Amino acid sequence: MKIRKPLIKRGPFKTFLFFLGFSTMVWIFVQFSKEYTEAVELPISYINVPKDKILSPENPSKLDLRVKENGLHIAFNRLFPKVLYLDVSDSKMENGKLIYNLEEQKSALLSQLNLEYDKAEFLKKTLNISYQQREVKKVPIRSNLELDFAVGYSALDDVEFQPDSIMVSGPKGILDTLSEVQTKELRLENINNDISGTVNLDTAKLERLTFYQTKIDYTLRTDKFTEGKVQVSIDLVNVPEGMNVVIFPKEVTVIYQVSLKKFNSVKKEDFRVMADFKNAVNSDGYLLVQLTEQPPQVNNVRLNEKKIQFVIKR
């Protein structure tokens, strides 16, 4: 069996590849060492924006710069462009726009890029920066706290926030539609005493607004509650003059919850229950009963009777 000989001997072929690769690297090095004049695109970021202004999202995000540099430096800047920071406080106000003079700020800008003054040139001389005037509004806080009390306990008052409203700034069009700011959802379980803490505000969908604070304190006064009952006479109103109307029953039981500390302060005179005779038409001899007054220290108030009978005596 004959063994076929390789067309190219391995030794000379390896030598050929080595010199080919070496000469290619030398050629690339020579080309990159040459000086070129090329335009490169740089991302820009605006800094030191005046507090009373909001920059428009339509403002340019990139700038073109013509540079005279070796090929390696140009290639590196294209692959890994350096962010150029524009100090908005250096702008001048003209015709309702901020004008940033790139030529006047050229020295400071090029120092960020480590470029020589005579070897770079901005393709634009000035940059127009659009903005909106920032307005300020005081907005109330709305609770998004979920309260779960231990058996027999309840809140003495609503949750109190400190502060109960905050300052918000931003575009007028957005602020005009903002009537309140909610807290983030927070569940408090098995509450059996006074509580306090801190909760974040929900600003997730309000990115264009600036909040003077994003956290607020809350407090909640809690006490053990008990059930109370009182018998209250029903006031019959709007009975036509000269008509004798009798109702059954004449009293209802008012059932309520009150803290143990305030139990003795609740009197039956603090409640008012009413039936309106105007609603007697087509009522089949029944009237609805409504609770119209109650003391502020009670909650979960209900009546044992919601309808009463009436009879018209001739």
Side-chain angles (χ1 to χ4, degrees):
M1 180 176 176
K2 292 184 178 182
I3 300 175
R4 296 181 63 185
K5 294 182 179 180
L7 296 177
I8 301 175
K9 293 184 178 180
R10 290 186 178 180
F13 183 66
K14 286 183 178 179
T15 303
F16 170 76
L17 289 179
F18 170 78
F19 282 106
L20 177 63
F22 179 76
S23 60
T24 301
M25 289 180 64
V26 171
W27 181 86
I28 292 173
F29 178 77
V30 170
Q31 296 303 313
F32 275 132
S33 299
K34 292 181 180 179
E35 196 169 68
Y36 298 89
T37 300
E38 296 285 344
V40 294
E41 195 176 57
L42 298 173
I44 58 177
S45 178
Y46 301 93
I47 61 173
N48 295 329
V49 179
K51 291 184 178 181
D52 65 334
K53 293 176 175 58
I54 303 170
L55 298 192
S56 170
E58 287 79 29
N59 281 314
S61 60
K62 295 180 180 180
L63 272 180
D64 291 322
L65 179 69
R66 185 182 290 115
V67 296
K68 189 177 182 181
E69 274 286 352
N70 62 61
L72 183 62
H73 193 278
I74 291 174
F76 185 83
N77 276 308
R78 283 182 171 170
L79 289 172
F80 308 102
K82 198 170 183 179
V83 177
L84 191 61
Y85 294 95
L86 272 59
D87 191 334
V88 181
S89 65
D90 292 329
S91 304
K92 296 179 181 178
M93 181 68 69
E94 292 182 17
N95 300 321
K97 287 190 176 181
L98 293 170
I99 307 300
Y100 189 91
N101 194 313
L102 293 166
E103 199 62 29
E104 288 181 0
Q105 304 299 327
K106 180 179 175 181
S107 180
L109 294 174
L110 293 183
S111 68
Q112 297 182 38
L113 306 172
N114 296 320
L115 291 174
E116 295 180 24
Y117 188 89
D118 295 330
K119 289 189 174 183
E121 179 185 10
F122 289 103
L123 300 189
K124 285 184 176 182
K125 302 303 179 185
T126 60
L127 184 67
N128 294 345
I129 303 176
S130 300
Y131 70 92
Q132 289 179 298
Q133 197 66 32
R134 187 184 293 274
E135 297 204 1
V136 180
K137 182 178 181 180
K138 194 173 186 179
V139 184
I141 304 298
R142 185 165 76 85
S143 174
N144 203 10
L145 275 59
E146 187 176 347
L147 307 176
D148 183 16
F149 293 92
V151 176
Y153 287 83
S154 188
L156 288 170
D157 308 291
D158 292 334
V159 177
E160 291 187 2
F161 293 111
Q162 183 60 40
D164 60 1
S165 55
I166 62 166
M167 303 301 292
V168 183
S169 63
K172 183 177 185 302
I174 299 178
L175 283 182
D176 286 347
T177 64
L178 187 68
S179 59
E180 62 185 19
V181 178
Q182 290 190 21
T183 66
K184 285 194 172 182
E185 291 185 4
L186 178 63
R187 182 178 177 84
L188 303 170
E189 299 181 330
N190 199 35
I191 303 170
N192 58 12
N193 51 30
D194 294 348
I195 58 172
S196 61
T198 301
V199 62
N200 291 320
L201 298 178
D202 189 357
T203 61
K205 297 180 181 179
L206 302 168
E207 295 90 350
R208 296 190 63 193
L209 298 179
T210 299
F211 293 81
Y212 284 44
Q213 63 186 95
T214 56
K215 293 182 179 181
I216 57 172
D217 297 326
Y218 67 85
T219 56
L220 179 67
R221 295 171 59 230
T222 307
D223 198 2
K224 191 168 183 62
F225 274 61
T226 188
E227 189 172 85
K229 297 179 181 180
V230 289
Q231 292 294 118
V232 180
S233 298
I234 301 170
D235 292 336
L236 184 61
V237 298
N238 294 321
V239 177
E241 189 176 348
M243 182 178 291
N244 186 13
V245 179
V246 180
I247 58 174
F248 305 96
K250 298 182 183 301
E251 293 182 338
V252 291
T253 301
V254 179
I255 306 165
Y256 57 88
Q257 284 190 329
V258 64
S259 72
L260 286 174
K261 295 176 183 177
K262 297 183 178 180
F263 182 80
N264 293 328
S265 68
V266 180
K267 309 297 180 185
K268 70 175 185 178
E269 293 80 12
D270 298 329
F271 299 89
R272 187 185 180 199
V273 179
M274 184 184 72
D276 193 341
F277 195 71
K278 278 185 178 179
N279 302 322
V281 179
N282 301 323
S283 62
D284 298 326
Y286 287 92
L287 289 173
L288 292 178
V289 179
Q290 292 179 315
L291 179 71
T292 58
E293 291 181 17
Q294 67 181 63
Q297 66 266 37
V298 302
N299 57 37
N300 295 330
V301 183
R302 64 188 189 277
L303 305 176
N304 73 325
E305 298 277 355
K306 293 186 178 180
K307 291 198 303 184
I308 59 171
Q309 289 181 291
F310 71 90
V311 175
I312 301 174
K313 287 191 174 182
R314 304 297 179 183

